[in-house]
Amino acid sequence: MRCLVVEDDNEIATIVKQGLGELEGEVEVEANGRRAYERALTNHYDIIVLDLMLPEMDGYTFAKSLREKEVNTPILILSALRELDDRLKGLSMGGDDYLTKPFAMAELQIRVKNLLKRAQKASEVTQLVFQDLKLNRLNREVVRAGRKLDLQEREFVLLDLFMSNPNKIIGKQTILKEVWNYDFDPQTNVVDVLVCRLRNKLEKDFPTRLIYTVRGVGYVLKSS
């Protein structure tokens, strides 16, 4: 589990990080709403624990903006705002669950586990489709406009990552972790080389591009 905790109260952030760390995951903390939003756009997280009252970008705007970018990472709102209107607003703007402060760590852990299970079940689809491109996870087949494409294993994993996150900018560090499953030297150009190879196979004989470079940030699969 890779979790982003967006919380500007240092004491609460530390408690949440320790508690969710017991779930055998990697827990990152960001206190600034705007910076957290940028991290959520450019990195892959399995779940986000989100406060609502944050500097520079409040939690409502954070959740709403992520959903508008079609980032479907589960969001658990953890807030001192207890009124019904606050909870309804948080859930309607992109939150998947809402827990009020003060809270019991055991309850937070269970709610996080439940959201992760739900997300895992939702991701257990066999086929991904983006425009005229289809990826079948069962038989490892990729077809574009009716033409079968021959991808190597890492090219297939990278394409699966892009098609699981359409219109979302994916940073190089995320690609390194998802495709190679461990950390490389961030300065290495293996990501650029792999993306170039994948692009060549996906786009060379077709009229429209699919993968775009976001300079200094990463790559995105989107419509032309």
Side-chain angles (χ1 to χ4, degrees), residues 60 77 83-95 98:
Y60 296 122
I77 295 173
E83 298 298 323
L84 177 61
D85 286 347
D86 298 318
R87 288 180 275 145
L88 292 178
K89 184 178 179 181
L91 294 171
S92 66
M93 296 188 81
Y98 197 114

Side-chain angles (χ1 to χ4, degrees), residues 3 7 61 80 96 103 144 153 157 169 176 214-215:
C3 174
E7 173 61 73
T61 305
D96 297 286
F103 60 96
R144 183 171 187 192
E153 179 59 22
V157 175
I169 301 170
L176 284 168
V214 181
R215 190 176 298 277

Side-chain angles (χ1 to χ4, degrees), residues 89-206:
K89 184 178 179 181
L91 294 171
S92 66
M93 296 188 81
D96 297 286
D97 197 1
Y98 197 114
L99 182 63
T100 56
K101 303 173 184 174
F103 60 96
M105 180 53 66
E107 183 178 3
L108 175 62
Q109 291 173 331
I110 288 174
R111 288 180 183 240
V112 166
K113 286 180 180 178
N114 287 342
L115 283 178
L116 289 171
K117 285 179 185 175
R118 225 182 292 164
Q120 184 177 4
K121 187 172 288 187
S123 69
E124 290 173 352
V125 296
T126 58
Q127 180 166 277
L128 300 175
V129 178
F130 183 82
Q131 295 185 355
D132 59 353
L133 183 65
K134 296 180 181 177
L135 179 150
N136 189 306
R137 287 169 169 163
L138 288 181
N139 60 17
R140 316 291 283 179
E141 185 176 81
V142 175
V143 175
R144 183 171 187 192
R147 188 189 306 179
K148 184 177 177 181
L149 305 179
D150 183 21
L151 301 189
Q152 295 179 4
E153 179 59 22
R154 282 190 173 135
E155 295 165 353
F156 183 91
V157 175
L158 177 58
L159 181 59
D160 191 318
L161 177 62
F162 279 129
M163 294 184 71
S164 298
N165 301 276
N167 302 306
K168 176 184 175 183
I169 301 170
I170 301 177
K172 292 183 180 180
Q173 198 62 40
T174 296
I175 294 175
L176 284 168
K177 288 184 178 178
E178 295 294 324
V179 177
W180 280 267
N181 204 27
Y182 54 87
D183 293 330
F184 267 61
D185 177 354
Q187 301 303 315
T188 182
N189 69 341
V190 292
V191 171
D192 302 311
V193 172
L194 184 62
V195 171
C196 182
R197 283 206 328 249
L198 180 60
R199 269 179 172 156
N200 189 48
K201 293 183 179 180
L202 291 182
E203 301 172 353
K204 181 181 177 183
D205 298 322
F206 299 93

Side-chain angles (χ1 to χ4, degrees), residues 72-83:
N72 296 315
T73 307
I75 296 176
L76 190 155
I77 295 173
L78 184 62
S79 174
L81 300 177
R82 309 174 63 86
E83 298 298 323

